[in-house]
Amino acid sequence: MDTFFEFFSFADPNIRYVVIGSLLLTASSAIVGSFTFLKKKALVGDAVAHSVLPGVCLSFILYGEKNPIILIFGAFATGWLSLILIDIISSHSKVKEDTAIGLILSVFFGIGIFMLTIIQKSGNAAQTGLDQILFGKAASLVGNDLIAFAVIAAILILSVWFFFKEFTLLAFDEDFASTIGLPVRAIELLLTTLTVLAVVIGIQAVGVVLMAAMLITPAAAARFWTEKISTMVWLAAIFGAFSGLTGAYISYIAPSMPTGPWIVVVISTIAFISFFMAPKRGILYRMNNQRKIRRQINDENILKALYQLGEEEKNFYEKRTIEEILTKRKFDPASLKTGLRRLKREGYLGNESGHWSFTKAGKHKGQRTVKLHRLWELYLTQYLRIAPDHVHDDADTIEHILTPELETRLEKLLDYPTVDPHQSEIPYQ
Amino acid sequence: MIKHVDNPVLEVHDLTVSYDRKPVLWDIDLTLPAGKLIGIVGPNGAGKSTLIKSVMGLTPNSSGYVKLFDKDLKQVRDRISYVPQRESVDWDFPASALDVVLMGRYGKLGLFKRPRKADRDIALDSLQKVGMDAYAGRQISQLSGGQQQRVFLARALAQQADLYFMDEPFAGVDAATEKAIIEILREMSAKGNTVIVVHHDLQSVTQYFDWVILLNMRLVGSGPTSEVFTTELLQETYGGKLTLLSDVGDLIRRERFPNREQFDKAQKPK
């Protein structure tokens, strides 16, 4: 706990640097990655992330020591080269884009690992910090490195700020963007450059292997919570920053631990939570929605059965036993019981010593379901020319989904008919 | 029957367009009058969409040139609006109907600038014209196909252009939307705008369009509907595919043959 307070009091300037650095890097790559995500270029992000490795190593081999500026140049060069090669291969040969991405990713990463091994064999990898390039180390974000990376992060955020409108349009409708005279190629080039830069600075905290997750996952998680692109980008930035902060903390309490995997675990947890819990798009919401629909169908079927019993005996308010209801329609006994109890709670049914009877509202609802069922049967026979003995099952489903508006249209279209195709009366009042 | 006009809004000169080297349009020569509602009609794979995409500079031309208002496309972009096919975009995009219509203002706004109040007014007004003002804040994936098409039309209206190209605006929309859209298109052409529509339903052609372009890999006819939309020309458009033509096209692709002997130097207007 002590270390926790020590860290989050930010009293130590080194901690402050590392925190600021991690926040900036992860947030800016999440912001740029939002557009990579919306353009459905997730795999390209992964290819770039792996392809910067040979550049990083090469810059070290040529310059002899680790210098952030040189390193950025090197990483940028091979990252860019990989994108150009992917583009050339997929447009000038029979090889499809996904294959080209796979090819380039593995070739560049392979060369990178080869070079990294040579550097490590030479013995000074540890003092250069290059040994952390694969899985990241947030704690190394100090001094000169931090300044260089912070400047680039600021450039990324500002570029997205200025080109927000253009990036959005390009992601949604590229053809249209081109017809209104937007310099599509140039903007595409800019976005690609920003993506490569985001990777280049992000690898310091996350590492080349897992960097793609930092581009894509925050945006994918944010997408679950909102339908507004500006909110989505903000959320992605916040999610990214939060995982970056965790990475910095881990790096502080366990210096030998690589931070990349931790950052990715945190951001993935956020994504999983979003996947399940988010309103509207989340799995739980959808499951809950399905449950509500099943309940509604069950309850309306009970009311319908009671109404049909009343119709037969010309007495709608008679008390019925569960057995009587079951003569009209097969129900799962458990859901029949819970349905009956729910309908009582909602004021559609009354119950006296095991006998169930309609309230006024209950009769009205049961009657509406029966009416919709019969109207739909009539519609199917008249307008779709379906045989009368084939319309029942369709109507059994449709009766639960028709809105009052559709009900009115159906009535008008069929001109307020009195009987359905089986000569059953269609009840109106 | 190919009728040419003086002072055309659109002039297509000897245009050949290829996909992956295979020509899909052969040597199209075409002039279109202003202020008309014009339908491009032809079977599947006839190159209808390709023709307007090529005019809008979205596909590279193998040869020939296009002039709009007697100028190059680049000089008159803000007078022209293009409505792509509805399926060409992913509607599960984080944007509202109003956001999409506002995109119609981006051309006038230029880089960096955010939409102003006046642009929002125009966008809302365009939504109202297509009967979608009640859905301005609705997320676009929540809209029905017909409503999405109306949003696209509203975006085109927000561009306040003089010449409109629309790719299958009636595809997959309900009858009410089709009627609403054709009403708006008529209004636009009555105001002197030219509207060029890729259309696939032969039944409604005479009812909808003043001018018809019949297309099937080559131009079969272009002129006033009453003169061009004849049984004879329709048979030529739809009946019997020109198998020799498409076989030659396939051969060009297979052999990786250039479309012109000097295919880099597309013919330029003098």
Side-chain angles (χ1 to χ4, degrees):
Chain A
M1 233 30 208
D2 281 352
T3 50
F4 183 83
F5 287 117
E6 206 175 290
F7 181 81
F8 284 100
S9 64
F10 304 126
D12 183 346
N14 262 342
I15 294 177
R16 277 205 296 272
Y17 292 145
V18 170
V19 167
I20 292 171
S22 307
L23 289 181
L24 269 177
L25 302 194
T26 44
S28 62
S29 42
I31 288 171
V32 173
S34 295
F35 292 95
T36 318
F37 166 76
L38 285 174
K39 281 180 70 74
K40 305 187 173 63
K41 296 277 188 198
L43 274 179
V44 173
D46 200 19
V48 177
H50 283 78
S51 302
V52 298
L53 184 60
V56 170
C57 296
L58 198 64
S59 68
F60 175 81
I61 291 172
L62 292 180
Y63 192 73
E65 63 180 272
K66 191 181 156 213
N67 171 306
I69 312 279
I70 305 281
L71 185 141
I72 288 170
F73 269 112
F76 186 79
T78 51
W80 241 111
L81 183 67
S82 72
L83 285 178
I84 293 170
L85 287 177
I86 289 171
D87 194 44
I88 290 177
I89 292 176
S90 50
S91 61
H92 290 282
S93 77
K94 290 234 168 228
V95 176
K96 299 278 180 289
E97 197 190 10
D98 64 326
T99 317
I101 292 172
L103 274 174
I104 293 298
L105 185 153
S106 41
V107 167
F108 273 66
F109 191 60
I111 296 174
I113 291 289
F114 173 69
M115 289 169 142
L116 192 62
T117 319
I118 293 178
I119 296 171
Q120 275 165 344
K121 280 264 156 59
S122 74
N124 54 354
Q127 62 240 81
T128 62
L130 269 194
D131 51 339
Q132 300 291 351
I133 210 78
L134 286 182
F135 294 106
K137 184 171 188 182
S140 63
L141 284 167
V142 283
N144 279 343
D145 290 17
L146 180 64
I147 294 168
F149 292 136
V151 167
I152 293 187
I155 292 174
L156 292 181
I157 295 169
L158 280 177
S159 307
V160 171
W161 168 264
F162 277 115
F163 285 94
F164 194 83
K165 177 174 117 250
E166 285 73 21
F167 287 162
T168 308
L169 180 54
L170 206 62
F172 176 62
D173 192 346
E174 190 179 326
D175 275 357
F176 181 79
S178 153
T179 63
I180 61 171
L182 212 66
V184 170
R185 300 263 321 160
I187 292 171
E188 191 107 29
L189 208 70
L190 175 68
L191 186 57
T192 315
T193 309
L194 296 182
T195 311
V196 178
L197 280 178
V199 168
V200 170
I201 60 167
I203 53 173
Q204 200 70 18
V206 188
V208 291
V209 178
L210 297 170
M211 186 55 211
M214 234 21 255
L215 281 176
I216 302 302
T217 321
R223 181 69 184 92
F224 277 100
W225 299 93
T226 175
E227 299 291 354
K228 212 173 154 210
I229 188 165
S230 49
T231 317
M232 191 195 104
V233 174
W234 272 111
L235 265 182
I238 292 167
F239 289 166
F242 180 75
S243 62
L245 186 65
T246 323
Y249 177 61
I250 300 293
S251 202
Y252 175 72
I253 54 169
S256 62
M257 185 88 82
T259 42
W262 280 96
I263 292 179
V264 170
V265 165
V266 172
I267 191 68
S268 306
T269 310
I270 295 175
F272 270 112
I273 293 172
S274 309
F275 185 65
F276 282 104
M277 312 288 273
K280 296 230 171 95
R281 288 177 163 260
I283 298 265
L284 282 185
Y285 176 89
R286 288 187 180 190
M287 273 164 53
N288 193 31
N289 206 30
Q290 283 299 309
R291 214 183 61 212
K292 270 192 203 147
I293 290 172
R294 273 201 303 275
R295 269 191 201 170
Q296 181 211 338
I297 291 176
N298 181 53
D299 293 2
E300 285 181 1
N301 281 339
I302 296 173
L303 294 174
K304 191 170 72 168
L306 279 166
Y307 184 86
Q308 286 166 334
L309 284 169
E311 234 178 4
E312 272 171 20
E313 298 173 17
K314 307 247 180 307
N315 183 358
F316 289 108
Y317 296 100
E318 183 68 47
K319 298 182 177 61
R320 316 272 177 199
T321 61
I322 286 182
E323 288 69 35
E324 276 179 281
I325 296 172
L326 283 168
T327 61
K328 265 288 137 202
R329 188 185 181 92
K330 261 170 92 179
F331 285 97
D332 168 52
S335 36
L336 176 59
K337 268 181 205 144
T338 49
L340 285 167
R341 269 191 302 247
R342 190 163 46 234
L343 285 163
K344 177 170 179 256
R345 208 167 50 238
E346 292 168 350
Y348 293 114
L349 292 181
N351 181 13
E352 243 172 72
S353 55
H355 289 66
W356 300 88
S357 61
F358 268 143
T359 62
K360 263 224 157 75
K363 187 216 160 203
H364 185 78
K365 203 168 153 83
Q367 176 178 326
R368 178 170 182 267
T369 311
V370 170
K371 175 176 113 180
L372 291 178
H373 182 99
R374 294 179 182 165
L375 280 174
W376 191 252
E377 287 191 338
L378 198 61
Y379 176 74
L380 289 181
T381 50
Q382 283 195 2
Y383 282 82
L384 281 77
R385 303 196 184 286
I386 294 172
D389 57 332
H390 283 181
V391 292
H392 178 81
D393 290 344
D394 280 324
D396 244 3
T397 315
I398 305 298
E399 67 192 18
H400 303 294
I401 197 174
L402 290 175
T403 59
E405 192 221 350
L406 287 165
E407 180 183 347
T408 320
R409 276 171 62 186
L410 203 54
E411 284 172 352
K412 273 201 192 125
L413 188 69
L414 297 166
D415 196 19
Y416 302 93
T418 50
V419 290
D420 77 356
H422 314 103
Q423 303 309 314
S424 302
E425 190 198 334
I426 296 176
Y428 286 94
Q429 276 316 311
Chain B
M1 167 58 219
I2 294 163
K3 191 162 175 174
H4 287 279
V5 296
D6 296 330
N7 301 320
V9 277
L10 170 67
E11 181 191 356
V12 176
H13 183 90
D14 194 19
L15 179 77
T16 296
V17 187
S18 318
Y19 277 132
D20 192 21
R21 304 220 172 192
K22 180 182 177 175
V24 284
L25 285 174
W26 294 77
D27 307 288
I28 309 286
D29 271 301
L30 189 69
T31 47
L32 293 177
K36 293 271 190 284
L37 185 46
I38 298 167
I40 304 179
V41 177
N44 284 335
K48 306 187 289 290
S49 301
T50 307
L51 178 61
I52 63 173
K53 276 191 183 161
S54 160
V55 170
M56 292 309 297
L58 295 173
T59 53
N61 305 340
S62 302
S63 81
Y65 64 83
V66 171
K67 287 198 149 196
L68 298 138
F69 304 103
D70 202 29
K71 295 205 170 88
D72 268 354
L73 174 66
K74 280 195 189 105
Q75 297 166 278
V76 287
R77 272 196 200 279
D78 59 337
R79 295 181 66 188
I80 301 162
S81 161
Y82 167 71
V83 181
Q85 285 183 22
R86 183 167 57 86
E87 294 85 21
S88 70
V89 304
D90 178 5
W91 289 87
D92 188 21
F93 190 87
S96 68
L98 182 64
D99 292 337
V100 173
V101 178
L102 272 172
M103 290 173 184
R105 303 299 303 159
Y106 287 7
K108 300 255 189 308
L109 276 173
L111 293 175
F112 307 128
K113 296 197 188 72
R114 303 277 146 117
R116 304 150 296 183
K117 178 101 181 22
D119 297 307
R120 292 179 69 84
D121 290 347
I122 292 168
L124 283 169
D125 193 44
S126 308
L127 272 172
Q128 200 217 328
K129 276 187 194 137
V130 300
M132 287 287 292
D133 39 340
Y135 297 88
R138 187 73 69 92
Q139 208 274 323
I140 52 173
S141 70
Q142 307 285 316
L143 301 173
S144 74
Q147 289 169 332
Q148 290 171 346
Q149 191 65 59
R150 288 181 196 219
V151 168
F152 258 8
L153 181 59
R155 181 175 72 175
L157 290 176
Q159 286 182 269
Q160 300 179 321
D162 300 319
L163 172 58
Y164 294 82
F165 291 94
M166 304 194 180
D167 203 343
E168 303 256 16
F170 302 119
V173 306
D174 52 292
T177 297
E178 175 151 353
K179 210 170 145 223
I181 292 179
I182 193 70
E183 280 306 316
I184 294 162
L185 301 190
R186 284 211 181 100
E187 245 172 69
M188 288 158 72
S189 85
K191 276 190 215 145
N193 296 317
T194 312
V195 184
I196 300 172
V197 178
V198 171
H199 193 61
H200 65 278
D201 177 23
L202 285 179
Q203 292 207 339
S204 47
V205 168
T206 46
Q207 201 190 332
Y208 287 178
F209 301 112
D210 314 321
W211 189 284
V212 170
I213 297 166
L214 292 177
L215 204 66
N216 189 358
M217 294 179 72
R218 78 286 185 195
L219 187 66
V220 179
S222 165
T225 311
S226 55
E227 292 169 44
V228 169
F229 202 68
T230 59
T231 324
E232 197 186 333
L233 283 178
L234 276 174
Q235 241 157 28
E236 203 184 320
T237 315
Y238 283 83
K241 233 183 157 188
L242 295 184
T243 42
L244 181 71
L245 189 67
S246 78
D247 284 352
V248 170
D250 284 334
L251 188 65
I252 291 176
R253 173 165 55 195
R254 242 192 349 264
E255 301 286 327
R256 318 300 304 160
F257 223 68
N259 288 118
R260 287 286 182 272
E261 284 184 22
Q262 294 171 296
F263 65 105
D264 283 334
K265 293 178 197 154
Q267 199 175 341
K268 282 268 149 43
K270 284 173 195 96

